[in-house]
Amino acid sequence: MLNRRHIRIKVMQTIYSFKGGESDSFDKEQKFLLHSLDNIYNLYLLLISLLIEIQKKSEDYLDKTSKKHLATKEEKNPNKKLVNNEVLLMLKNNVLLQDELEQRKISNWDLDSEYVDVIFREILASDLYAQYMQTKTTSFKEDRAFVVDIFSDIIAPNDKLYDYLEDKNLTWIDDLPVVNTAILKLLRKVKQDALATYFLPKLYKDLDDKAYAIELFKKTLLNQSKFGEVIKGKTQNWDSERIASLDTVLLKMAICEIQKFPSIPIKVTINEYLEIAKEYSTPKSSIFINGILDKLVKEYQETDTLNKTGRGLM
């Protein structure tokens, strides 16, 4: 589920908040980093559980409307297409998913059900719902398309849900695009005979990604003075106070990758940190960082000191 860019962002945020030196213990910060990464999975489960709550809400809604004192014929014999949506039922009846929700204590919607109500009302008022409910018969393909549409058009962009998530965990706002993308990818590709583990994807694509996060964090901090001197040597005409603190962190991380990670191509490293700088630092940061890294790489190439092997040579 996690990609390398988001791992870099999490490492950047942790290093940026670190106030110690190379000789200090940073076990606490490393623990925070891993917790921050793991907490992305909680966000994923929270949003997946919201889909389950929508199915439950639709059952409750039909039950209440059918029991109204002056219920119409249509209300007494309602269209149960949403209640019986196969994808939503697949999520609701997934025992492994329910166990994971219980184990991680993801029960937010029990206490904060008003947010489920907000989403549900938006669904009922949408053209997507009106079109979906035109018939009482359905297919798995149609059910899947409807869930994809309500997630992408109603749930993901919902401002009240966004504010709620920000209030619960500030770092989730940075994680939200990654999680939303992962959920949509799973929903679009789910099949009728999907295994129970389908909606329990791995947080890391492989163990190398987790190791990469730890190594990038540790090696950057352990060599921060050395990397700082490298940066200083390439910014002699710059007032150090004018260099954004975040730019310094990004440069140290990029230099760390160039020097200490032989299998990562230089182009990948530079492109990734430029994109992160564009999103998180000043408007001119990417140009500044690109200039420093370009000079540094040319110097390494001229002195034949680039430590790259295998894929890193690409």
Side-chain angles (χ1 to χ4, degrees):
M1 182 163 59
L2 279 179
N3 55 51
R4 283 286 178 102
R5 180 176 298 174
H6 204 64
I7 290 173
R8 288 180 175 96
I9 290 169
K10 287 295 182 183
V11 173
M12 173 198 74
Q13 291 170 336
T14 307
I15 292 176
Y16 183 75
S17 65
F18 181 69
K19 304 303 179 185
E22 292 167 354
S23 61
D24 296 309
S25 171
F26 39 79
D27 291 344
K28 180 181 177 182
E29 285 74 18
Q30 181 174 317
K31 185 177 180 181
F32 172 82
L33 169 64
L34 293 176
H35 175 74
S36 181
L37 287 165
D38 184 66
N39 207 29
I40 296 172
Y41 207 77
N42 290 334
L43 175 60
Y44 164 79
L45 290 171
L46 181 61
L47 292 177
I48 281 290
S49 68
L50 180 56
L51 291 172
I52 296 173
E53 293 304 315
I54 288 170
Q55 193 281 334
K56 292 179 180 177
K57 189 70 181 178
S58 65
E59 284 186 335
D60 182 61
Y61 175 75
L62 288 191
D63 183 60
K64 287 180 178 178
T65 53
S66 66
K67 292 178 179 178
K68 286 167 55 177
H69 178 61
L70 297 175
T72 64
K73 182 179 179 180
E74 184 179 348
E75 288 172 334
K76 289 180 179 180
N77 185 31
N79 186 343
K80 296 184 178 181
K81 197 170 179 179
L82 179 55
V83 171
N84 295 328
N85 183 287
E86 288 191 65
V87 176
L88 296 181
L89 287 176
M90 182 184 292
L91 290 168
K92 179 185 177 182
N93 298 327
N94 190 316
V95 176
L96 292 180
L97 177 57
Q98 292 297 332
D99 288 344
E100 190 69 18
L101 290 169
E102 289 180 18
Q103 184 176 338
R104 287 179 175 257
K105 298 179 181 179
I106 307 296
S107 57
N108 299 53
W109 310 127
D110 292 341
L111 296 174
D112 301 316
S113 60
E114 64 268 26
Y115 293 94
V116 179
D117 294 339
V118 167
I119 297 295
F120 187 68
R121 285 197 298 269
E122 284 199 24
I123 291 173
L124 293 186
S126 69
D127 292 337
L128 289 171
Y129 178 78
Q131 185 177 357
Y132 178 65
M133 299 296 283
Q134 283 180 353
T135 63
K136 289 190 175 184
T137 58
T138 190
S139 65
F140 183 83
K141 183 178 180 181
E142 186 184 1
D143 285 349
R144 180 179 60 197
F146 177 71
V147 176
V148 167
D149 287 342
I150 63 170
F151 190 88
S152 62
D153 294 359
I154 296 175
I155 296 175
N158 187 274
D159 289 336
K160 289 185 178 179
L161 181 60
Y162 181 95
D163 291 341
Y164 172 77
L165 295 173
E166 184 178 32
D167 183 59
K168 287 296 177 183
N169 191 315
L170 188 60
T171 64
W172 273 353
I173 299 309
D174 287 327
D175 304 332
L176 199 53
V178 173
V179 172
N180 283 340
T181 299
I183 291 175
L184 281 171
K185 184 177 179 180
L186 288 170
L187 289 173
R188 287 182 178 126
K189 294 185 176 182
V190 66
K191 296 181 179 179
Q192 203 164 7
D193 58 351
L195 297 174
T197 55
Y198 180 79
F199 282 107
L200 290 171
K202 293 180 180 179
L203 178 61
Y204 301 97
K205 293 178 181 178
D206 52 51
L207 292 177
D208 287 345
D209 280 349
K210 185 175 182 180
Y212 164 75
I214 296 171
E215 289 302 301
L216 179 60
F217 170 74
K218 290 171 67 175
K219 289 179 178 179
T220 301
L221 287 183
L222 287 171
N223 294 277
Q224 57 179 320
S225 295
K226 176 185 173 183
F227 297 152
E229 287 301 314
V230 173
I231 296 168
K232 186 177 180 180
K234 294 291 176 289
T235 56
Q236 292 176 350
N237 297 326
W238 285 76
D239 182 352
S240 59
E241 293 184 358
R242 290 181 57 206
I243 301 175
S245 299
L246 193 57
D247 291 354
T248 301
V249 171
L250 291 172
L251 278 169
K252 287 179 179 179
M253 290 172 63
I255 295 169
C256 183
E257 277 197 22
I258 291 170
Q259 290 189 2
K260 308 291 184 182
F261 291 79
S263 64
I264 300 178
I266 290 172
K267 285 185 178 179
V268 170
T269 294
I270 293 177
N271 289 338
E272 287 293 293
Y273 286 102
L274 293 184
E275 290 303 314
I276 294 172
K278 288 175 184 177
E279 184 175 355
Y280 287 89
S281 200
T282 69
K284 295 183 179 180
S285 289
S286 61
I287 298 172
F288 169 70
I289 290 172
N290 186 48
I292 302 301
L293 294 180
D294 185 58
K295 289 180 184 178
L296 190 61
V297 169
K298 285 179 180 177
E299 181 182 297
Y300 288 157
Q301 288 171 335
E302 290 171 0
T303 57
D304 197 26
T305 53
L306 270 178
N307 179 29
K308 293 295 176 182
T309 59
R311 184 173 173 270
L313 294 169
M314 295 172 62

